[in-house]
Coordinates of all heavy atoms in Angstrom, one line a residue:
M23 N 2.4 -13.2 -7.4 CA 1.2 -12.6 -8.0 C 1.2 -11.1 -7.8 O 1.6 -10.6 -6.7 CB -0.1 -13.1 -7.3 CG -0.3 -14.6 -7.5 SD -1.7 -15.2 -6.5 CE -3.1 -14.4 -7.3
L24 N 0.8 -10.4 -8.9 CA 0.9 -8.9 -8.8 C -0.5 -8.3 -8.5 O -1.5 -8.8 -9.1 CB 1.4 -8.4 -10.1 CG 2.9 -8.6 -10.5 CD1 3.1 -8.2 -11.9 CD2 3.7 -7.7 -9.5
F25 N -0.5 -7.3 -7.7 CA -1.7 -6.6 -7.4 C -1.4 -5.1 -7.4 O -0.4 -4.6 -6.9 CB -2.2 -6.9 -6.0 CG -2.6 -8.3 -5.8 CD1 -1.7 -9.3 -5.4 CD2 -3.9 -8.7 -5.9 CE1 -2.1 -10.6 -5.2 CE2 -4.3 -10.0 -5.8 CZ -3.4 -11.0 -5.4
A26 N -2.4 -4.3 -7.9 CA -2.4 -2.9 -7.8 C -3.4 -2.6 -6.6 O -4.5 -3.0 -6.7 CB -2.8 -2.2 -9.0
V27 N -2.9 -1.8 -5.7 CA -3.8 -1.4 -4.5 C -3.8 0.1 -4.4 O -2.8 0.8 -4.3 CB -3.3 -2.0 -3.2 CG1 -4.2 -1.6 -2.0 CG2 -3.1 -3.5 -3.3
R28 N -5.0 0.6 -4.5 CA -5.2 2.1 -4.2 C -5.6 2.2 -2.8 O -6.6 1.5 -2.3 CB -6.3 2.7 -5.1 CG -6.5 4.2 -4.8 CD -7.5 4.8 -5.7 NE -7.9 6.1 -5.1 CZ -7.7 7.3 -5.6 NH1 -7.3 7.4 -6.9 NH2 -8.1 8.4 -5.0
M29 N -4.9 3.0 -2.0 CA -5.2 3.3 -0.6 C -5.6 4.8 -0.5 O -4.8 5.6 -0.8 CB -4.0 3.0 0.2 CG -3.4 1.6 0.1 SD -1.9 1.4 1.1 CE -1.1 0.0 0.3
D30 N -6.8 5.0 0.0 CA -7.3 6.3 0.3 C -7.2 6.5 1.8 O -7.8 5.7 2.6 CB -8.7 6.6 -0.2 CG -8.7 6.7 -1.7 OD1 -8.7 5.7 -2.4 OD2 -8.7 7.9 -2.1
V31 N -6.5 7.5 2.3 CA -6.3 7.7 3.7 C -7.2 8.8 4.2 O -7.3 9.9 3.6 CB -4.8 8.1 4.0 CG1 -4.5 8.1 5.5 CG2 -3.9 7.1 3.3
S32 N -7.8 8.6 5.4 CA -8.6 9.6 6.1 C -8.3 9.5 7.6 O -9.0 8.8 8.3 CB -10.1 9.4 5.8 OG -10.8 10.4 6.4
V33 N -7.3 10.3 8.0 CA -7.0 10.3 9.4 C -7.9 11.4 10.1 O -8.1 12.5 9.6 CB -5.5 10.7 9.6 CG1 -5.1 10.9 11.1 CG2 -4.6 9.7 8.9
P34 N -8.5 11.0 11.3 CA -9.4 12.0 11.9 C -8.7 13.3 12.2 O -7.6 13.4 12.6 CB -9.7 11.3 13.2 CG -9.4 9.8 13.0 CD -8.3 9.8 12.0
Q35 N -9.5 14.4 11.9 CA -8.9 15.7 12.0 C -8.5 16.0 13.5 O -7.5 16.8 13.7 CB -10.0 16.8 11.7 CG -10.5 16.7 10.2 CD -9.7 17.5 9.3 OE1 -8.7 18.1 9.7 NE2 -10.1 17.5 8.0
D36 N -9.1 15.4 14.4 CA -8.9 15.7 15.8 C -7.8 14.7 16.5 O -7.7 14.7 17.7 CB -10.2 15.7 16.6 CG -10.8 14.3 16.6 OD1 -10.4 13.4 15.9 OD2 -11.8 14.1 17.4
M37 N -7.2 13.9 15.6 CA -6.1 13.0 16.2 C -5.0 13.9 16.8 O -4.6 14.9 16.2 CB -5.6 12.1 15.1 CG -4.6 11.1 15.7 SD -3.9 10.0 14.5 CE -5.2 8.8 14.3
D38 N -4.5 13.5 18.0 CA -3.4 14.1 18.6 C -2.2 14.2 17.7 O -1.9 13.2 17.0 CB -3.1 13.3 19.9 CG -1.8 13.8 20.5 OD1 -1.9 14.9 21.1 OD2 -0.8 13.1 20.4
A39 N -1.6 15.3 17.6 CA -0.5 15.6 16.7 C 0.7 14.6 16.9 O 1.2 14.1 15.9 CB 0.0 17.0 16.8
Q40 N 1.0 14.3 18.1 CA 2.1 13.4 18.4 C 1.7 11.9 18.0 O 2.5 11.2 17.4 CB 2.4 13.4 19.9 CG 3.5 12.4 20.4 CD 4.9 12.8 19.8 OE1 5.1 13.9 19.5 NE2 5.8 11.8 19.7
A41 N 0.5 11.6 18.3 CA 0.0 10.2 17.9 C 0.0 10.1 16.4 O 0.4 9.1 15.8 CB -1.4 10.0 18.4
K42 N -0.4 11.2 15.7 CA -0.4 11.1 14.2 C 1.0 11.0 13.7 O 1.2 10.2 12.7 CB -1.1 12.4 13.7 CG -1.2 12.4 12.2 CD -1.9 13.7 11.7 CE -2.0 13.7 10.2 NZ -2.6 14.9 9.6
A43 N 1.9 11.8 14.2 CA 3.3 11.7 13.8 C 3.9 10.3 13.9 O 4.6 9.8 13.1 CB 4.2 12.7 14.5
E44 N 3.6 9.6 15.1 CA 4.1 8.3 15.4 C 3.4 7.3 14.4 O 4.1 6.4 13.9 CB 3.8 7.9 16.8 CG 4.7 8.7 17.8 CD 4.3 8.5 19.2 OE1 3.5 7.6 19.6 OE2 4.9 9.2 20.1
L45 N 2.1 7.5 14.1 CA 1.4 6.6 13.2 C 2.0 6.7 11.8 O 2.3 5.7 11.2 CB -0.1 7.0 13.2 CG -1.0 6.2 12.4 CD1 -1.1 4.8 12.9 CD2 -2.4 6.8 12.4
L46 N 2.3 7.9 11.3 CA 2.8 8.0 10.0 C 4.3 7.5 9.9 O 4.7 6.9 8.9 CB 2.8 9.5 9.6 CG 1.4 10.1 9.4 CD1 1.4 11.6 8.9 CD2 0.5 9.3 8.6
A47 N 5.0 7.7 11.0 CA 6.4 7.1 11.0 C 6.3 5.6 11.0 O 7.1 5.0 10.3 CB 7.1 7.6 12.2
A48 N 5.4 5.0 11.7 CA 5.3 3.5 11.7 C 4.8 3.0 10.4 O 5.3 2.0 9.9 CB 4.3 3.1 12.8
E49 N 4.0 3.8 9.7 CA 3.5 3.4 8.4 C 4.7 3.4 7.4 O 4.8 2.5 6.6 CB 2.4 4.4 7.9 CG 1.8 4.1 6.6 CD 0.8 3.0 6.6 OE1 0.4 2.5 7.7 OE2 0.3 2.6 5.5
K50 N 5.5 4.5 7.5 CA 6.6 4.6 6.6 C 7.6 3.4 6.8 O 8.1 2.8 5.8 CB 7.3 5.9 6.8 CG 8.5 6.2 5.8 CD 9.0 7.6 6.0 CE 10.1 7.9 4.9 NZ 10.5 9.3 5.0
D51 N 7.9 3.1 8.0 CA 8.8 2.0 8.4 C 8.3 0.7 7.8 O 9.0 -0.1 7.2 CB 9.0 1.9 9.9 CG 9.9 2.9 10.4 OD1 10.6 3.7 9.7 OD2 10.0 3.0 11.7
Y52 N 7.0 0.5 8.0 CA 6.4 -0.8 7.6 C 6.4 -0.9 6.1 O 6.8 -2.0 5.6 CB 4.9 -0.8 8.1 CG 4.1 -2.0 7.8 CD1 4.1 -3.1 8.7 CD2 3.3 -2.1 6.7 CE1 3.3 -4.2 8.5 CE2 2.5 -3.2 6.5 CZ 2.5 -4.3 7.3 OH 1.8 -5.4 7.1
S53 N 6.1 0.2 5.4 CA 6.1 0.2 3.9 C 7.6 0.0 3.4 O 7.8 -0.9 2.5 CB 5.6 1.5 3.4 OG 5.8 1.6 2.0
Q54 N 8.5 0.7 4.0 CA 9.9 0.6 3.4 C 10.5 -0.8 3.7 O 11.3 -1.2 2.9 CB 10.7 1.8 4.0 CG 10.2 3.1 3.4 CD 11.1 4.3 3.8 OE1 11.9 4.2 4.8 NE2 11.1 5.3 3.0
D55 N 10.2 -1.4 4.8 CA 10.7 -2.7 5.1 C 10.2 -3.7 4.0 O 10.9 -4.5 3.5 CB 10.2 -3.2 6.5 CG 10.7 -4.5 6.9 OD1 11.9 -4.8 6.8 OD2 9.9 -5.4 7.2
L56 N 8.9 -3.6 3.7 CA 8.3 -4.5 2.7 C 8.9 -4.2 1.3 O 9.0 -5.1 0.4 CB 6.8 -4.4 2.7 CG 6.2 -5.1 3.9 CD1 4.7 -4.7 4.1 CD2 6.3 -6.6 3.8
Q57 N 9.2 -2.9 1.0 CA 9.8 -2.5 -0.2 C 11.2 -3.1 -0.4 O 11.6 -3.7 -1.4 CB 9.9 -1.0 -0.4 CG 8.5 -0.3 -0.6 CD 8.6 1.2 -0.6 OE1 9.4 1.8 -1.3 NE2 7.9 1.8 0.3
R58 N 12.0 -3.1 0.7 CA 13.3 -3.7 0.7 C 13.2 -5.2 0.5 O 14.1 -5.8 -0.1 CB 14.0 -3.4 2.0 CG 14.5 -1.9 2.1 CD 15.3 -1.6 3.4 NE 15.3 -0.2 3.6 CZ 14.6 0.4 4.5 NH1 13.7 -0.3 5.3 NH2 14.6 1.7 4.6
K59 N 12.2 -5.8 1.0 CA 12.0 -7.3 0.8 C 11.4 -7.6 -0.5 O 11.3 -8.8 -0.9 CB 11.1 -7.8 1.9 CG 11.7 -7.8 3.3 CD 10.7 -8.2 4.4 CE 11.4 -8.3 5.8 NZ 10.5 -8.2 6.9
G60 N 11.0 -6.6 -1.3 CA 10.6 -6.9 -2.7 C 9.1 -7.2 -2.8 O 8.6 -7.3 -3.9
E61 N 8.4 -7.2 -1.7 CA 6.9 -7.5 -1.8 C 6.1 -6.3 -2.2 O 5.1 -6.4 -2.8 CB 6.4 -8.1 -0.5 CG 6.9 -9.5 -0.2 CD 6.2 -10.1 1.0 OE1 6.4 -9.6 2.1 OE2 5.6 -11.2 0.8
W62 N 6.6 -5.1 -1.7 CA 5.9 -3.9 -2.1 C 6.8 -3.2 -3.1 O 7.8 -2.6 -2.8 CB 5.8 -3.0 -0.8 CG 4.9 -1.8 -0.9 CD1 4.7 -1.0 -2.0 CD2 4.1 -1.3 0.2 NE1 3.8 -0.1 -1.6 CE2 3.4 -0.2 -0.3 CE3 3.9 -1.7 1.5 CZ2 2.5 0.6 0.4 CZ3 3.0 -0.9 2.3 CH2 2.3 0.2 1.8
Q63 N 6.4 -3.4 -4.4 CA 7.3 -3.1 -5.5 C 7.4 -1.6 -5.7 O 8.5 -1.0 -6.1 CB 6.8 -3.7 -6.8 CG 7.2 -5.1 -6.9 CD 7.1 -5.6 -8.4 OE1 6.5 -5.0 -9.2 NE2 7.8 -6.7 -8.6
S64 N 6.3 -0.9 -5.6 CA 6.4 0.6 -5.8 C 5.2 1.3 -5.2 O 4.1 0.6 -4.9 CB 6.5 0.9 -7.3 OG 5.3 0.5 -8.0
I65 N 5.4 2.5 -4.9 CA 4.3 3.3 -4.3 C 4.3 4.7 -5.0 O 5.3 5.3 -5.1 CB 4.4 3.4 -2.8 CG1 3.3 4.3 -2.1 CG2 5.8 4.0 -2.3 CD1 3.2 4.2 -0.6
W66 N 3.1 5.1 -5.4 CA 2.9 6.4 -6.1 C 1.9 7.2 -5.5 O 0.8 6.7 -5.1 CB 2.5 6.1 -7.6 CG 3.5 5.3 -8.3 CD1 3.5 3.9 -8.4 CD2 4.6 5.8 -9.0 NE1 4.6 3.5 -9.2 CE2 5.3 4.6 -9.6 CE3 5.2 7.0 -9.3 CZ2 6.5 4.8 -10.3 CZ3 6.3 7.2 -10.0 CH2 7.0 6.0 -10.6
R67 N 2.1 8.5 -5.3 CA 1.1 9.4 -4.8 C 0.1 9.7 -5.9 O 0.5 10.0 -7.0 CB 1.8 10.7 -4.3 CG 0.9 11.8 -3.8 CD 0.1 11.3 -2.5 NE 0.9 11.3 -1.3 CZ 0.6 10.4 -0.3 NH1 -0.3 9.5 -0.4 NH2 1.4 10.5 0.8
C68 N -1.1 9.7 -5.6 CA -2.2 10.2 -6.5 C -2.2 11.7 -6.4 O -2.5 12.2 -5.3 CB -3.5 9.6 -6.1 SG -3.5 7.8 -6.2
V69 N -1.9 12.4 -7.5 CA -1.8 13.8 -7.4 C -3.0 14.5 -6.9 O -4.1 14.3 -7.3 CB -1.4 14.3 -8.8 CG1 -1.4 15.9 -8.8 CG2 -0.1 13.8 -9.3
G70 N -2.7 15.3 -5.9 CA -3.8 16.2 -5.3 C -4.7 15.4 -4.3 O -5.7 16.0 -3.9
E71 N -4.4 14.2 -4.0 CA -5.2 13.4 -3.1 C -4.4 12.8 -2.0 O -3.2 12.5 -2.2 CB -5.9 12.3 -3.8 CG -6.8 12.7 -5.0 CD -7.4 11.6 -5.7 OE1 -8.4 11.0 -5.1 OE2 -7.0 11.2 -6.8
Y72 N -5.0 12.5 -0.8 CA -4.3 11.8 0.2 C -4.5 10.3 -0.1 O -5.3 9.6 0.6 CB -4.7 12.2 1.6 CG -3.8 11.7 2.8 CD1 -2.7 11.0 2.5 CD2 -4.1 12.0 4.1 CE1 -1.9 10.5 3.5 CE2 -3.3 11.6 5.1 CZ -2.2 10.8 4.8 OH -1.4 10.4 5.9
A73 N -3.9 9.8 -1.1 CA -4.1 8.5 -1.6 C -2.8 8.0 -2.3 O -2.0 8.9 -2.8 CB -5.2 8.4 -2.6
N74 N -2.6 6.7 -2.4 CA -1.5 6.2 -3.2 C -2.0 5.0 -4.0 O -3.0 4.4 -3.6 CB -0.3 5.8 -2.3 CG -0.5 4.5 -1.5 OD1 -0.5 3.4 -2.1 ND2 -0.8 4.7 -0.2
I75 N -1.2 4.7 -5.0 CA -1.4 3.5 -5.7 C -0.1 2.7 -5.6 O 1.0 3.3 -5.9 CB -1.8 3.7 -7.2 CG1 -3.2 4.3 -7.3 CG2 -1.7 2.4 -8.0 CD1 -3.7 4.6 -8.7
S76 N -0.2 1.5 -5.1 CA 1.0 0.7 -4.8 C 0.9 -0.6 -5.6 O -0.2 -1.1 -5.8 CB 1.1 0.4 -3.4 OG 1.4 1.5 -2.6
I77 N 2.0 -1.1 -6.0 CA 2.1 -2.4 -6.7 C 2.8 -3.4 -5.7 O 3.9 -3.1 -5.2 CB 3.0 -2.3 -8.0 CG1 2.4 -1.2 -8.9 CG2 3.0 -3.7 -8.7 CD1 1.0 -1.5 -9.4
F78 N 2.1 -4.5 -5.5 CA 2.6 -5.6 -4.7 C 2.9 -6.8 -5.5 O 2.2 -7.2 -6.4 CB 1.6 -5.9 -3.6 CG 1.4 -4.9 -2.5 CD1 0.5 -3.8 -2.8 CD2 2.1 -4.9 -1.4 CE1 0.3 -2.8 -1.8 CE2 2.0 -3.9 -0.4 CZ 1.1 -2.9 -0.6
D79 N 4.0 -7.5 -5.1 CA 4.3 -8.8 -5.7 C 4.4 -9.8 -4.6 O 5.5 -9.8 -3.9 CB 5.6 -8.7 -6.5 CG 5.9 -10.0 -7.3 OD1 5.1 -10.9 -7.3 OD2 7.0 -10.0 -7.9
V80 N 3.4 -10.6 -4.4 CA 3.3 -11.4 -3.2 C 2.9 -12.8 -3.6 O 2.5 -13.1 -4.7 CB 2.2 -10.9 -2.2 CG1 2.7 -9.5 -1.6 CG2 0.9 -10.7 -2.9
A81 N 3.0 -13.7 -2.6 CA 2.8 -15.2 -2.9 C 1.3 -15.4 -3.3 O 1.1 -16.4 -4.0 CB 3.2 -16.0 -1.7
G82 N 0.4 -14.7 -2.7 CA -1.0 -14.9 -3.0 C -1.9 -14.0 -2.2 O -1.4 -13.1 -1.5
N83 N -3.2 -14.3 -2.4 CA -4.2 -13.4 -1.7 C -4.0 -13.3 -0.2 O -4.2 -12.3 0.4 CB -5.6 -14.0 -2.0 CG -6.0 -13.8 -3.5 OD1 -5.2 -13.3 -4.3 ND2 -7.2 -14.2 -3.8
E84 N -3.7 -14.5 0.4 CA -3.6 -14.5 1.9 C -2.4 -13.6 2.3 O -2.5 -12.9 3.3 CB -3.3 -15.9 2.4 CG -4.5 -16.8 2.2 CD -4.8 -17.3 0.8 OE1 -3.9 -17.2 0.0 OE2 -5.9 -17.7 0.6
R85 N -1.3 -13.6 1.6 CA -0.2 -12.8 2.0 C -0.5 -11.3 1.8 O -0.2 -10.5 2.6 CB 1.1 -13.2 1.1 CG 2.3 -12.3 1.4 CD 2.7 -12.4 2.9 NE 3.9 -11.5 3.1 CZ 4.1 -10.8 4.3 NH1 3.2 -11.0 5.3 NH2 5.1 -10.0 4.4
L86 N -1.2 -11.0 0.7 CA -1.6 -9.6 0.5 C -2.5 -9.1 1.6 O -2.4 -8.0 2.2 CB -2.3 -9.4 -0.9 CG -2.6 -7.9 -1.1 CD1 -1.4 -7.0 -1.3 CD2 -3.5 -7.8 -2.4
H87 N -3.5 -10.0 2.0 CA -4.4 -9.7 3.0 C -3.6 -9.4 4.3 O -3.9 -8.4 5.1 CB -5.4 -10.8 3.2 CG -6.4 -10.6 4.2 ND1 -7.5 -9.8 4.0 CD2 -6.6 -11.0 5.5 CE1 -8.3 -9.8 5.0 NE2 -7.8 -10.5 6.0
E88 N -2.7 -10.3 4.6 CA -1.9 -10.1 5.9 C -1.1 -8.8 5.9 O -1.1 -8.1 6.9 CB -0.9 -11.3 5.9 CG 0.0 -11.4 7.1 CD 0.9 -12.6 7.0 OE1 1.6 -12.8 6.0 OE2 0.9 -13.4 8.0
I89 N -0.5 -8.4 4.7 CA 0.2 -7.2 4.6 C -0.7 -6.0 4.8 O -0.4 -5.1 5.6 CB 0.9 -7.1 3.3 CG1 2.1 -8.0 3.2 CG2 1.4 -5.6 3.0 CD1 2.8 -8.1 1.8
L90 N -1.8 -6.0 4.2 CA -2.7 -4.8 4.2 C -3.3 -4.7 5.6 O -3.4 -3.6 6.1 CB -3.8 -5.0 3.2 CG -3.3 -5.0 1.7 CD1 -4.5 -5.1 0.7 CD2 -2.5 -3.7 1.4
W91 N -3.7 -5.8 6.3 CA -4.2 -5.7 7.6 C -3.2 -5.2 8.6 O -3.5 -4.7 9.6 CB -4.8 -7.1 8.0 CG -6.2 -7.3 7.7 CD1 -6.8 -7.4 6.5 CD2 -7.3 -7.3 8.7 NE1 -8.1 -7.5 6.6 CE2 -8.5 -7.4 7.9 CE3 -7.4 -7.1 10.0 CZ2 -9.7 -7.5 8.5 CZ3 -8.7 -7.2 10.6 CH2 -9.8 -7.3 9.9
G92 N -1.9 -5.4 8.3 CA -0.9 -5.0 9.2 C -0.5 -3.6 9.1 O 0.3 -3.1 9.9
L93 N -1.0 -2.9 8.1 CA -0.7 -1.5 7.9 C -1.1 -0.7 9.1 O -2.3 -0.7 9.5 CB -1.4 -0.9 6.7 CG -0.9 -1.3 5.3 CD1 -2.0 -1.0 4.3 CD2 0.4 -0.6 5.0
P94 N -0.2 0.1 9.7 CA -0.6 0.9 10.9 C -1.8 1.9 10.5 O -2.6 2.2 11.4 CB 0.7 1.7 11.2 CG 1.8 0.8 10.7 CD 1.3 0.1 9.5
L95 N -1.8 2.3 9.3 CA -2.9 3.2 8.9 C -4.2 2.5 8.5 O -5.2 3.1 8.1 CB -2.5 4.1 7.7 CG -1.7 5.4 8.1 CD1 -1.2 6.1 6.8 CD2 -2.5 6.4 8.9
F96 N -4.2 1.1 8.6 CA -5.3 0.4 8.0 C -6.7 0.9 8.6 O -7.6 1.0 7.8 CB -5.1 -1.1 8.4 CG -6.2 -2.0 7.8 CD1 -6.2 -2.4 6.5 CD2 -7.3 -2.4 8.6 CE1 -7.2 -3.2 5.9 CE2 -8.3 -3.1 8.1 CZ -8.3 -3.5 6.7
P97 N -6.8 1.2 9.9 CA -8.1 1.6 10.4 C -8.6 2.9 9.7 O -9.8 3.3 9.8 CB -7.9 1.8 11.9 CG -6.6 1.1 12.2 CD -5.8 1.1 10.9
Y98 N -7.7 3.6 9.1 CA -8.0 5.0 8.5 C -7.9 5.0 7.0 O -7.8 6.0 6.4 CB -7.0 6.0 9.1 CG -6.9 6.0 10.6 CD1 -5.8 5.5 11.2 CD2 -8.0 6.3 11.4 CE1 -5.7 5.4 12.6 CE2 -8.0 6.3 12.8 CZ -6.8 5.8 13.4 OH -6.7 5.7 14.7
M99 N -8.1 3.8 6.4 CA -7.9 3.7 4.9 C -9.1 3.0 4.3 O -9.7 2.1 5.0 CB -6.7 2.8 4.6 CG -5.4 3.4 4.7 SD -4.1 2.2 4.3 CE -2.7 3.3 4.1
T100 N -9.4 3.3 3.1 CA -10.2 2.4 2.3 C -9.3 2.0 1.1 O -8.4 2.7 0.8 CB -11.5 3.1 1.7 OG1 -11.1 4.3 1.0 CG2 -12.4 3.6 2.8
M101 N -9.6 0.8 0.6 CA -8.7 0.2 -0.4 C -9.5 -0.3 -1.6 O -10.6 -0.8 -1.4 CB -7.9 -0.9 0.2 CG -7.0 -0.5 1.3 SD -5.9 -1.8 1.8 CE -5.3 -1.1 3.3
D102 N -8.9 -0.2 -2.7 CA -9.4 -0.8 -3.9 C -8.3 -1.7 -4.5 O -7.2 -1.2 -4.8 CB -9.8 0.3 -4.9 CG -10.5 -0.3 -6.1 OD1 -11.6 -0.9 -5.9 OD2 -10.0 -0.2 -7.2
I103 N -8.5 -3.0 -4.6 CA -7.5 -4.0 -5.0 C -7.8 -4.6 -6.4 O -8.9 -5.1 -6.6 CB -7.4 -5.1 -3.9 CG1 -7.1 -4.5 -2.6 CG2 -6.4 -6.1 -4.3 CD1 -7.3 -5.4 -1.4
T104 N -6.8 -4.5 -7.2 CA -6.9 -5.1 -8.6 C -5.8 -6.1 -8.8 O -4.6 -5.8 -8.9 CB -6.8 -3.9 -9.6 OG1 -7.7 -2.9 -9.3 CG2 -7.1 -4.5 -11.0
P105 N -6.2 -7.4 -9.0 CA -5.2 -8.4 -9.4 C -4.7 -8.1 -10.8 O -5.5 -7.7 -11.7 CB -5.9 -9.7 -9.3 CG -7.2 -9.4 -8.6 CD -7.5 -8.0 -8.8
L106 N -3.4 -8.3 -11.1 CA -2.9 -7.9 -12.4 C -2.4 -9.2 -13.1 O -1.9 -10.1 -12.5 CB -1.7 -7.0 -12.2 CG -2.0 -5.6 -11.5 CD1 -0.7 -4.8 -11.3 CD2 -3.0 -4.8 -12.3
A107 N -2.6 -9.2 -14.4 CA -2.1 -10.2 -15.3 C -1.2 -9.6 -16.4 O -1.3 -8.4 -16.7 CB -3.2 -11.0 -15.9
E108 N -0.4 -10.4 -17.0 CA 0.4 -9.9 -18.1 C -0.5 -9.4 -19.2 O -1.5 -10.0 -19.5 CB 1.3 -11.0 -18.7 CG 2.4 -11.5 -17.7 CD 3.2 -12.6 -18.3 OE1 2.8 -13.2 -19.3 OE2 4.3 -12.9 -17.7
H109 N 0.0 -8.3 -19.9 CA -0.7 -7.8 -21.1 C 0.0 -8.3 -22.3 O 1.3 -8.1 -22.4 CB -0.8 -6.3 -21.0 CG -1.8 -5.7 -22.0 ND1 -1.6 -5.7 -23.3 CD2 -3.0 -5.2 -21.7 CE1 -2.6 -5.2 -23.9 NE2 -3.5 -4.8 -23.0
P110 N -0.7 -8.8 -23.3 CA 0.0 -9.3 -24.5 C 0.7 -8.3 -25.3 O 1.6 -8.6 -26.2 CB -1.2 -9.9 -25.3 CG -2.4 -9.3 -24.8 CD -2.1 -9.0 -23.3
S111 N 0.5 -7.0 -25.1 CA 1.2 -5.9 -25.8 C 2.4 -5.5 -25.1 O 3.1 -4.5 -25.6 CB 0.2 -4.7 -26.1 OG -0.9 -5.1 -26.8
D112 N 2.7 -6.0 -24.0 CA 3.9 -5.6 -23.2 C 5.2 -6.0 -23.9 O 5.4 -7.2 -24.1 CB 3.8 -6.3 -21.8 CG 5.0 -5.9 -20.9 OD1 6.0 -5.2 -21.4 OD2 4.9 -6.2 -19.7
I113 N 6.0 -5.0 -24.4 CA 7.2 -5.4 -25.2 C 8.2 -6.1 -24.4 O 9.1 -6.8 -24.9 CB 7.8 -4.2 -25.9 CG1 8.3 -3.1 -24.9 CG2 6.8 -3.6 -26.9 CD1 9.1 -2.0 -25.5
S114 N 8.2 -6.0 -23.1 CA 9.2 -6.7 -22.3 C 8.9 -8.2 -22.3 O 9.8 -9.0 -21.9 CB 9.1 -6.2 -20.8 OG 8.0 -6.7 -20.1
L115 N 7.8 -8.7 -22.8 CA 7.5 -10.1 -22.9 C 7.9 -10.7 -24.3 O 7.8 -11.9 -24.5 CB 6.0 -10.3 -22.7 CG 5.4 -9.9 -21.3 CD1 3.9 -10.1 -21.3 CD2 6.1 -10.7 -20.2
D116 N 8.3 -9.8 -25.2 CA 8.7 -10.2 -26.6 C 9.9 -11.1 -26.6 O 10.8 -10.9 -25.8 CB 8.9 -9.0 -27.6 CG 7.5 -8.4 -27.9 OD1 6.5 -9.0 -27.6 OD2 7.5 -7.3 -28.4
Ligands
LIG12 O1 0.6 8.4 2.6 C1 0.0 7.3 2.2 O2 -0.3 7.2 1.0 C2 -0.2 6.2 3.1 C3 1.0 5.3 3.1 C4 1.0 4.0 2.8 C5 2.4 3.5 2.9 C6 3.1 4.7 3.4 O3 4.3 4.9 3.6 O4 2.2 5.8 3.4

């Protein structure tokens, strides 16, 4: 199942610099591991915002929930999740 997830990040301004660096490194590792496994298909920066739009291809809602809850940055994010279906005008389906 495909999902588009928008993640808006808001890390506290007063977070310790070392703790922030470790948090962002852990987030990157977590994301790239799932990208290599094929569940996190792509990640795009939203221009001018501390936000991304990511495409996930996962077994179902429970798996997406598990992945999102496991994000190191989860406590500092808000998310908007859109389940995706094939579009009849997609030429790759012809
Ligand atoms: O920087 C972001 O948009 C937050 C994020 C999610 C996965 C990742 O590597 O960074």
Side-chain angles (χ1 to χ4, degrees):
M23 295 173 68
L24 288 171
F25 295 88
V27 180
R28 177 179 167 120
M29 305 177 199
D30 286 84
V31 185
S32 181
V33 177
Q35 298 274 3
D36 61 353
M37 183 181 283
D38 171 74
Q40 178 69 23
K42 183 177 177 184
E44 288 172 9
L45 183 61
L46 298 185
E49 182 80 7
K50 185 173 183 175
D51 285 350
Y52 184 86
S53 170
Q54 291 188 336
D55 181 53
L56 289 164
Q57 289 175 54
R58 289 187 197 96
K59 290 175 176 161
E61 290 187 300
W62 194 322
Q63 282 200 337
S64 59
I65 180 167
W66 299 92
R67 178 63 76 213
C68 300
V69 174
E71 301 180 77
Y72 194 0
N74 74 74
I75 292 178
S76 291
I77 305 297
F78 290 87
D79 186 2
V80 293
N83 290 2
E84 290 74 17
R85 179 59 184 147
L86 182 65
H87 185 77
E88 183 178 51
I89 287 172
L90 298 179
W91 269 71
L93 286 162
L95 276 175
F96 183 82
Y98 309 108
M99 286 177 164
T100 58
M101 296 187 195
D102 186 62
I103 300 166
T104 305
L106 301 174
E108 290 177 349
H109 194 289
S111 299
D112 182 348
I113 61 169
S114 74
L115 300 174
D116 289 348

